[in-house]
Every structure is written in structure tokens, then in C-alpha cells.
Amino acid sequence: MDNLTARVGWINHADTATLTALHPGPDTLGVERLQIKHVARYHEQAGPELAVRADLHAGKPVDAVVLPLVNAGPAATLRVRAAATAAELATAPLYTYAGPGHVDDAHNYAIHLLPATVTARVWEVAVTDPDREVSRAGRLVLAPLHRFAFNFKANWGVRWEDLSEERDGAGGQMYSRAGPRRRVLSAEFGEMTRRERDEVALEIERLAGKTGDILMVARPNAPNLAHYTVWGKPVDTGGVNESRLGIFTKTFQIKERRF
């Protein structure tokens, strides 16, 4: 498996799944909030663990499991199980994982990249932090990922966009209103194959447009995946260009959904 080249996902099977909260309580906010793009509308469960079961209604391929904007800390653990039916999650799972959630205080993603694509109908995802009395997440992502044949061109990067406002008064005073901050990933793929042009770059433009979601993993082998993973909406970057015969280029820019 190639762990060096970036991966991108633009289909989220969780959005069409039937979700079930495994630790519901009187104060539980609706689990359907995990299917809303506005991640500030959190789903909450009482206790130190947020656990969700997703029935995809058919076997579908998944390469990445992500819970964006969890309130867990770096010591949190992630559990993932997949099976053909809910009954088989415990008795005959197709895939299991229990280990670090790769949660980072600055980014608050719980992330797991599967070592190989798993096709299953029912998925169970749980993030646990014993220091939390209420567990929270803003989204659930169960996505197939494309591994690019060639990685970014040089000078790709991630920055924090600061939405604070500043204005100058007539007397020379400066007034500031603090705003939220979000990451923006900008990268150019300089050597895409014809297949990647047709089945990846143009499909992202067709299906996600400027309002859908993209999950970009810039360094799949990074020890801190959250630093190199951005989930958010794509920005229109001008289509796909044929830089030379049979070689195509595409610039991606992704604005993180954080509020």
C-alpha cells in the first residue's frame, strides 16, 4: 500500500445511513446532527463515550472513519467495528480497530485510516475519553478514499484563516472584534492521470461543487494525522488543465468546517 501520496474522499456514506446512538439519555441531542454539514450543531451523548452505529443499507467501501469536532482530548481512544449485519458486529466482524483516536487539541478530529478498503453494511464507531462527562461530535464521516498516483507539487500548504474584523476610528483608534479561525488547505496535483481527471477531479467538481464536503489527507503516514487532515468544503479553483499530452493538473483548496 502507498502511504506517501495524499488521499481524497468526496463521498460520505454516513450521510445516507440510518444512525443509532448507542448511549442515548434524556439529554441526548439527535444523532441526525452527525449528518448535517453545519458542524456547530453537535450531537451529544451523556458520559465519557460517544458511540454510534451506522447502517449503510448495503455493503459499501470505506477507507477512512472520522469524527470531526469531538470534545475529546489527545488521550482518547477510538473503536471501529464493521460487519455485514448488526448481529455480526460482535460475533463475526469484517473489521475491528481499537486504539488511538489521533485527536489533537488544535483540530479535534478523531481519525482512523483503514489499512485496506473494507466493504461492509454496518459500522460501529466510538470515541472514549474518561475525563468527559458529556461526549460531543459535529459530524460522522465514513468515506472511500482515492490515493493519487503522484503527490502534490511543491509549495502546497495549510494556513489558518482568521475571520476577525478590524477597523480604524477617526481619531486613530483601532477597533477589533475577534472572530473564529479555520484551516485552509491549498495544493496542486501536477501529474494526474487521465483516469484521475475523469474519475476524481471532475467527479469532485460534479458531485461536491462548492458546497459539498471533501476529506483530504495530505500525509497518511504522519504520526499526528489531525495536523495533515482537513475536512470541509471545496473552493472553486478553475477546473482541470492538461499541462502536457496525457498529463493533467488540478488545484484543490479546502476550507475547513469548524463553526
Side-chain angles (χ1 to χ4, degrees):
M1 183 200 314
D2 181 3
N3 282 325
L4 299 178
T5 53
R7 305 180 194 179
V8 64
W10 62 98
I11 296 172
N12 185 4
H13 294 316
D15 283 353
T16 56
T18 298
L19 303 185
T20 304
L22 299 185
H23 301 305
D27 299 324
T28 297
L29 296 176
V31 73
E32 69 278 358
R33 290 172 176 242
L34 294 175
Q35 297 170 314
I36 299 173
K37 295 176 183 177
H38 305 293
V39 291
R41 298 189 62 189
Y42 296 106
H43 168 64
E44 292 183 351
Q45 295 181 18
E49 181 178 83
L50 185 142
V52 179
R53 182 172 295 161
D55 184 345
L56 308 187
H57 307 294
K60 296 179 181 179
V62 171
D63 293 300
V65 177
V66 185
L67 281 167
L69 295 196
V70 296
N71 65 337
T77 57
L78 184 67
R79 186 180 73 251
V80 177
R81 293 191 296 181
T85 67
E88 294 178 5
L89 283 171
T91 60
L94 297 171
Y95 181 78
T96 60
Y97 169 80
H102 298 288
V103 181
D104 183 274
D105 284 333
H107 311 303
N108 305 114
Y109 290 14
I111 305 172
H112 176 59
L113 299 182
L114 281 65
T117 303
V118 173
T119 299
R121 170 174 174 167
V122 182
W123 292 78
E124 189 173 288
V125 182
V127 58
T128 305
D129 185 340
D131 293 331
R132 299 294 183 265
E133 295 182 2
V134 175
S135 299
R136 180 185 303 125
R139 195 83 156 91
L140 174 62
V141 179
L142 299 171
L145 300 179
H146 172 77
R147 297 178 179 89
F148 285 96
F150 299 94
N151 214 353
F152 308 124
K153 290 182 66 175
N155 298 321
W156 73 273
V158 179
R159 64 182 175 87
W160 284 93
E161 182 179 62
D162 188 349
L163 300 183
S164 301
E165 295 180 0
E166 294 183 345
R167 63 184 179 87
D168 295 326
Q173 303 93 334
M174 178 181 288
Y175 300 94
S176 301
R177 184 178 68 85
R181 295 170 179 83
R182 63 186 172 198
R183 287 184 297 167
V184 179
L185 183 147
S186 299
E188 181 182 357
F189 290 91
E191 294 194 32
M192 290 194 306
T193 64
R194 189 178 302 276
R195 173 178 170 269
E196 288 176 328
R197 179 200 67 174
D198 295 339
E199 299 180 12
V200 180
L202 292 177
E203 280 297 275
I204 289 175
E205 292 190 349
R206 182 178 74 89
L207 296 174
K210 292 191 292 184
T211 59
D213 294 340
I214 290 183
L215 177 70
M216 182 73 78
V217 185
R219 285 186 57 192
N221 62 339
N224 189 338
L225 278 172
H227 280 286
Y228 296 95
T229 301
V230 175
W231 170 83
K233 75 181 198 68
V235 177
D236 186 6
T237 52
V240 183
N241 299 311
E242 189 168 7
S243 57
R244 58 187 189 275
L245 186 63
I247 299 298
F248 304 89
T249 64
K250 167 70 174 176
T251 298
F252 287 91
Q253 188 175 92
I254 304 167
K255 286 192 174 184
E256 186 174 39
R257 294 187 189 270
R258 293 189 65 87
F259 44 84

